[in-house]
Amino acid sequence: MTNWNDRGGAGEVDNPDATMTPDQFKIIFQVTKEFRSIPESRLQEESIPIHHPSEIIEFARIIRRSTSAGRVRVFFISPDSRDSKTLGIEDSADVQSHVESKEFPYATARHWWPLIHLTVASLGPKELMFRTGYRQDEIDAASSPLNALFSH
């Protein structure tokens, strides 16, 4: 098991992290569930393996099942090199409650944010609102922690 606190210095760019509110994660989850609506040709154009959307959907479901009213902190665990980074998820209702952690390979996780934007583009504004209940500006705001996490 990886030590979740072993993430390097607080200002270290190689170990970015992000915190999502439950409301942000709810929006991200709604959009993530729609990843299957992205045409396979678009995934190929963006060099995203066709199995990554399904893997991210399953990972998001695991997070959703375990989060209640707490914040979700998303960060990288970096054992050796950038290629071996793992996306870590912690959720906790409050500081004194049990914190459950999950790990997800960086190679797949790095596609989460681009897939959100491909989904938004593929569905268009009306279908996006119909399927997710959210507008693009709400999705952009909610997914900003993922953007910050993966833009380094």
Side-chain angles (χ1 to χ4, degrees):
M1 176 82 175
T2 304
N3 179 353
W4 290 100
N5 295 322
D6 188 16
R7 297 185 302 116
E12 200 170 311
V13 177
D14 281 346
N15 292 305
D17 65 28
T19 301
M20 290 179 268
T21 65
D23 288 339
Q24 284 174 306
F25 185 74
K26 180 180 174 184
I27 294 169
I28 289 169
F29 182 73
Q30 288 301 115
V31 177
T32 300
K33 290 190 318 184
E34 298 301 325
F35 284 0
R36 290 188 177 110
S37 67
I38 300 170
E40 197 172 300
S41 62
R42 291 282 295 155
L43 295 174
Q44 291 171 344
E45 288 171 17
E46 299 296 324
S47 299
I48 298 174
I50 59 171
H51 61 280
H52 282 192
S54 295
E55 291 175 4
I56 293 170
I57 290 167
E58 290 309 309
F59 185 62
R61 285 185 174 138
I62 291 168
I63 296 168
R64 189 177 130 244
R65 280 193 296 268
S66 66
T67 55
S68 54
R71 292 185 175 268
V72 178
R73 187 168 68 97
V74 184
F75 53 91
F76 285 127
I77 303 162
S78 186
D80 297 316
S81 68
R82 183 159 183 82
D83 293 339
S84 64
K85 282 187 180 181
T86 300
L87 182 66
I89 304 290
E90 271 184 356
D91 56 79
S92 174
D94 59 58
V95 176
Q96 296 184 3
S97 70
H98 173 72
V99 175
E100 189 171 342
S101 302
K102 293 131 193 77
E103 296 181 15
F104 195 58
Y106 174 82
T108 303
R110 69 187 177 94
H111 291 125
W112 200 345
W113 191 71
L115 284 166
I116 288 172
H117 287 276
L118 279 174
T119 301
V120 167
S122 294
L123 294 177
K126 288 182 183 179
E127 189 70 13
L128 182 69
M129 178 59 95
F130 176 74
R131 289 188 185 204
T132 68
Y134 299 103
R135 297 181 316 270
Q136 182 175 350
D137 61 327
E138 294 172 300
I139 293 166
D140 289 345
S143 65
S144 64
L146 288 176
N147 178 30
L149 190 66
F150 293 114
S151 64
H152 295 282

